[in-house]
Amino acid sequence: MSTNCDQPSSSSCQDGSQELKKYPLGKKRFGRGAVESGLTHECGVFGAIATGEWPTSLEISQIICWGLVALQHRGQESAGIVTSEGKCTKHFNVHKGMGMINNIFNDEAIRKLKGNLGIGHTRYSTSAASEEVNCQPFVVHTAHGALAVAHNGELVNCDSLRKMVLSRGVGLSTHSDSELITQALCLNPPEGEKDGPDWPARIKHLISLAPLSYSLVIMLRDKIYAVRDPYGNRPLCLGKILPFNEPLYGECDESRQAEGWVVSSESCGFLSIGAQYVREVFPGEIIEMTRHGIRSIDIVDRPANKAQAFCIFEYVYFARADSIFEGQMVYAVRLQCGRQLAIEKPVEADIVSSVPESGTAAAHGYSRQTGISFAEVLCKNRYVGRSFIQPSTRLRQLAVAKKFGALSGNVRGKRIILIDDSIVRGNTIGPIIKLLRNAGATEVHIRIASPPLLYPCYMGINIPTREELIANKLNPKELAKHVGADSLEYLSIEGLVKAVRSDIKVKSPTIIGHCTACLSGEYPGGIPQELEW
């Protein structure tokens, strides 16, 4: 991993250095969703199955719906739930639609989604357009029955896989990576099959065809497979549904009888559905979930000499603060990022504050490390609608500023350190600084609890093109002047990695590893090559 976090000089920033020109970033893949502000994640996946006798008393569709609500931050464009009663191989109950989860799944929809098992998905488009045809989970009918798939991530080699699938005479109705995965699972594995489909073999064949990036939930008539790519790039974890009156805290006790099992992109929704966090799905692991419980089928190894590559921006930006990755809560990691930022980039000031809520945990860490008191300076308006028409720079700046109010009593006459988790285009921070100055701040020092974003992501995060990323145009000193700050500094890549790994119990580099491609330009699977077909 690169440890050089120096910014390009002003001359090289304007046109892009020779190093940056290696990356063909001027365009997006066909149908890839446009990024209008900040960063966007692709989606979240969720699955649930009841144990014991069927039909179950568990409200599986409602459990999945609540699980998706907890994952709503991972995608707000569309959502879907598919359930099975475990009897018919030809039919699943399906409900999908565009919009937010609570608007899609009303009482009538939930009642129709009868079942003892099911999977769900909430989506933001990256590799395919924001249209209803791309809503997941995808359902296909195979020679062996119905198959449903929900996918989080983006296939690095989607072009070559698409070409291979089409060469088999298979028609594709979308440009979605997830449909490619679904069709690839319908292919017979190279070693053939006896006595019906060998789904674990088919899944392993898929992994060999596409080593990253994905977390998958795959549903058949009476079972669910949970799959994570061998690099562990996208998150996926297991939860155990316990009887209502049993405590959910503490370590998972295998002696406690499960009423059901869930699998989710994040653990943040487990408590709300009565599930206890068990563990993460290991990179390359295939887990089978049935009415009898769960079992690990296999763990597919990464290519030789390749390190694990869990997306480091899950900690920085995407995950909910109460989720658990690698044995540590996301909030605690963000707190540690703030501490590390204070060590690397100190500055004299009267108060430390944050851009709510994204920078709050890091701001508390910065405050604790420096001893400078934390105080809120911005009040966020949660009821701001989208501004569809913004014909002037003034209106665009006001559209940002109207999301916040300044707490003038905390601001007036103060030197402020304002912490945020990241800067993408740099459009938001300027109006916020102006708001604070109008409220009487004497100095505003910006500190960013992550390194500068310089490169795109091919693995499920929709980052603007290189030309749109402000860090490729302006170094920190120039950016501070551009946005009206007294100073602006980033956390280093080394500092971010140190903060993320500080509380991980297992320190072995063969077991842990993080993808920093959007920061360093070093991609775990190499830069994908586009094919013409």
Side-chain angles (χ1 to χ4, degrees), residues 219-286:
M219 189 179 77
L220 305 170
R221 174 180 63 90
D222 59 355
K223 65 184 64 174
I224 294 172
Y225 288 101
V227 185
R228 195 173 175 201
D229 73 60
Y231 290 82
N233 185 255
R234 302 260 63 85
L236 196 63
C237 61
L238 292 167
K240 183 179 186 179
I241 300 177
L242 296 173
F244 184 73
N245 58 351
E246 291 195 24
L248 301 176
Y249 59 83
E251 296 292 328
C252 181
D253 185 350
E254 294 185 8
S255 67
R256 296 166 75 182
Q257 187 67 32
E259 290 190 341
W261 292 89
V262 293
V263 60
S264 175
S265 292
E266 295 182 40
S267 61
C268 54
F270 284 177
L271 294 181
S272 66
I273 58 171
Q276 183 184 43
Y277 174 79
V278 177
R279 66 172 176 87
E280 289 178 277
V281 176
F282 299 130
E285 187 175 20
I286 303 169

Side-chain angles (χ1 to χ4, degrees), residues 47-86:
I49 188 167
T51 57
E53 295 298 318
W54 288 353
T56 180
S57 60
L58 290 179
E59 300 87 352
I60 290 295
S61 58
Q62 188 65 71
I63 287 171
I64 298 171
C65 183
W66 286 348
L68 292 179
V69 168
L71 298 176
Q72 184 77 86
H73 60 284
R74 299 184 73 87
Q76 299 92 46
E77 285 190 356
S78 65
I81 295 176
V82 178
T83 62
S84 169
E85 296 176 60

Side-chain angles (χ1 to χ4, degrees), residues 159-395:
D159 289 336
S160 59
L161 188 60
R162 175 176 291 273
K163 186 175 182 180
M164 185 273 289
V165 169
L166 291 172
S167 71
R168 301 287 183 95
V170 174
L172 296 171
S173 58
T174 74
H175 283 273
S176 168
D177 292 9
S178 308
E179 187 189 16
L180 272 180
I181 290 172
T182 307
Q183 293 293 350
L185 286 168
C186 295
L187 301 174
N188 292 329
E191 61 271 23
E193 295 172 316
K194 297 179 181 178
D195 303 321
D198 184 343
W199 291 107
R202 291 183 178 210
I203 294 169
K204 284 190 280 187
H205 183 218
L206 168 67
I207 293 173
S208 71
L209 293 173
L212 54 72
S213 159
Y214 46 83
S215 285
L216 304 172
V217 285
I218 302 164
M219 189 179 77
L220 305 170
R221 174 180 63 90
D222 59 355
K223 65 184 64 174
I224 294 172
Y225 288 101
V227 185
R228 195 173 175 201
D229 73 60
Y231 290 82
N233 185 255
R234 302 260 63 85
L236 196 63
C237 61
L238 292 167
K240 183 179 186 179
I241 300 177
L242 296 173
F244 184 73
N245 58 351
E246 291 195 24
L248 301 176
Y249 59 83
E251 296 292 328
C252 181
D253 185 350
E254 294 185 8
S255 67
R256 296 166 75 182
Q257 187 67 32
E259 290 190 341
W261 292 89
V262 293
V263 60
S264 175
S265 292
E266 295 182 40
S267 61
C268 54
F270 284 177
L271 294 181
S272 66
I273 58 171
Q276 183 184 43
Y277 174 79
V278 177
R279 66 172 176 87
E280 289 178 277
V281 176
F282 299 130
E285 187 175 20
I286 303 169
I287 292 178
E288 184 182 73
M289 308 168 68
T290 70
R291 64 193 296 179
H292 305 295
I294 65 169
R295 66 188 183 108
S296 181
I297 298 292
D298 202 353
I299 296 179
V300 179
D301 293 331
R302 290 185 294 278
N305 303 319
K306 293 290 187 177
Q308 183 174 324
F310 178 52
C311 174
I312 208 163
F313 249 76
E314 290 285 352
Y315 285 112
V316 170
Y317 187 94
F318 293 110
R320 218 170 80 173
D322 54 337
S323 290
I324 298 171
F325 298 139
E326 300 176 305
Q328 53 189 351
M329 188 163 284
V330 170
Y331 181 89
V333 172
R334 291 174 182 168
L335 197 77
Q336 193 63 33
C337 286
R339 285 185 177 276
Q340 185 65 31
L341 181 60
I343 293 170
E344 293 184 5
K345 307 295 182 182
V347 63
E348 289 187 9
D350 300 308
I351 58 174
V352 175
S353 194
S354 67
V355 178
E357 277 81 21
S358 58
T360 301
H364 280 292
Y366 197 102
S367 171
R368 294 180 190 183
Q369 183 66 34
T370 60
I372 303 172
S373 297
F374 175 89
E376 293 184 21
V377 299
L378 295 169
C379 181
K380 190 172 184 178
N381 183 350
R382 293 171 175 79
Y383 305 99
V384 175
R386 180 181 173 189
S387 300
F388 289 95
I389 301 174
Q390 298 175 357
S392 68
T393 301
R394 180 177 178 274
L395 284 183

Side-chain angles (χ1 to χ4, degrees), residues 395-404 427-429 431-432:
L395 284 183
R396 281 194 295 271
Q397 290 176 339
L398 289 175
V400 173
K402 74 177 182 177
K403 297 177 182 178
F404 300 100
N427 294 335
T428 303
I429 198 69
I432 290 175

Side-chain angles (χ1 to χ4, degrees), residues 60-61 64 80-96 105 108-120 136-139 141 146 148 219-221:
I60 290 295
S61 58
I64 298 171
I81 295 176
V82 178
T83 62
S84 169
E85 296 176 60
K87 299 175 184 177
C88 180
T89 60
K90 298 180 180 181
H91 175 74
F92 289 156
N93 301 311
V94 182
H95 189 80
K96 300 190 284 187
F105 298 103
E108 181 181 358
I110 292 296
R111 278 195 299 269
K112 289 181 179 179
L113 288 168
K114 296 178 181 179
N116 298 303
L117 66 158
I119 64 175
Q136 295 186 45
F138 276 111
V139 178
H141 296 274
M219 189 179 77
L220 305 170
R221 174 180 63 90

